[in-house]
Amino acid sequence: MEQEELTRLCNQTKDKGYIKFLMDEGWKCKDEADAQVRYGRLRKAMDGIPLTLEEFTAELEAGPADVLAEQLYNALIPLVTKGALTALDLYQYARFRWCRNHPEAVIACQTGPRTWEVNTCGEEYQEEQAKLRINSVWGVEASRIQFQGTPYYDATDWNFIRFRCGPYDWLMKDGELYQIYE
């Protein structure tokens, strides 16, 4: 969108959410109609209505026959149904392309009676590096760490590592430590 057009739209509209959307995502939009469609998907998610597969695929900017996009959506929808994810979380998986190429990385851990933590990272961590990370951040003895599944990360402060130490199961997610509830 042209800067003058963006300024004109911001001055005309009273919807501050739309203005923020244009500031954050407007550069992706081909024209006003495209901006409205994209913002409509965001509003739908913010209203608690999950995106359809077609809407999810469009937000992910994947083709209609993209198998990984469909697998990712199919991994996320059951988590929305049981309350581990919200409709907005589902939208964000598409918008930010979390686990885009690794649908198998979508894992949920219950950390409280009604609290869930769901993986948003798609890169596999080498086990030795993951042990060193847990040890350096939380002081857990590296030799006592037993991984419960594949450790994942996207950056130094974005991670999803399930492990057992002694009689307890733990989750390190994005630098926070949770005891697994289930």
Side-chain angles (χ1 to χ4, degrees), residues 79 82-85 93 105-120 148-150 152 159-163 169-173 177-182:
L79 297 175
K82 73 177 177 181
L85 290 175
Y93 269 86
V106 175
I107 303 161
C109 289
Q110 192 169 2
T111 57
R114 292 181 189 91
T115 310
W116 293 83
E117 297 298 328
V118 183
N119 184 23
T120 58
Q148 307 292 310
T150 305
Y152 291 99
N159 43 53
F160 190 89
I161 306 168
R162 294 174 299 155
F163 66 97
D169 291 333
W170 299 93
L171 170 66
M172 181 174 166
K173 180 177 190 277
L177 189 64
Y178 304 93
Q179 188 172 356
I180 296 178
Y181 182 75
E182 45 184 5

Side-chain angles (χ1 to χ4, degrees), residues 6 11 23 26-27 29 64 68-69 74 81 125 145 151 153 162 165:
L6 182 61
N11 290 336
M23 301 299 273
W27 63 274
C29 304
L68 286 176
N74 289 337
T81 303
Y125 227 151
I145 297 171
Y153 78 100
R162 294 174 299 155
C165 183

Side-chain angles (χ1 to χ4, degrees), residues 33-47:
D34 186 38
Q36 290 288 334
V37 169
R38 288 173 184 259
Y39 183 64
R41 289 193 293 259
L42 173 59
R43 286 299 319 163
K44 180 179 180 178
M46 289 173 69
D47 290 340

Side-chain angles (χ1 to χ4, degrees), residues 105-153:
V106 175
I107 303 161
C109 289
Q110 192 169 2
T111 57
R114 292 181 189 91
T115 310
W116 293 83
E117 297 298 328
V118 183
N119 184 23
T120 58
C121 303
E123 299 297 319
E124 289 186 19
Y125 227 151
Q126 296 289 331
E127 287 192 1
E128 286 306 311
Q129 289 176 316
K131 281 184 181 183
L132 289 174
R133 182 74 181 157
I134 294 167
N135 175 263
S136 68
V137 174
W138 298 106
V140 176
E141 173 58 44
S143 65
R144 299 197 62 205
I145 297 171
Q146 299 171 349
F147 291 107
Q148 307 292 310
T150 305
Y152 291 99
Y153 78 100

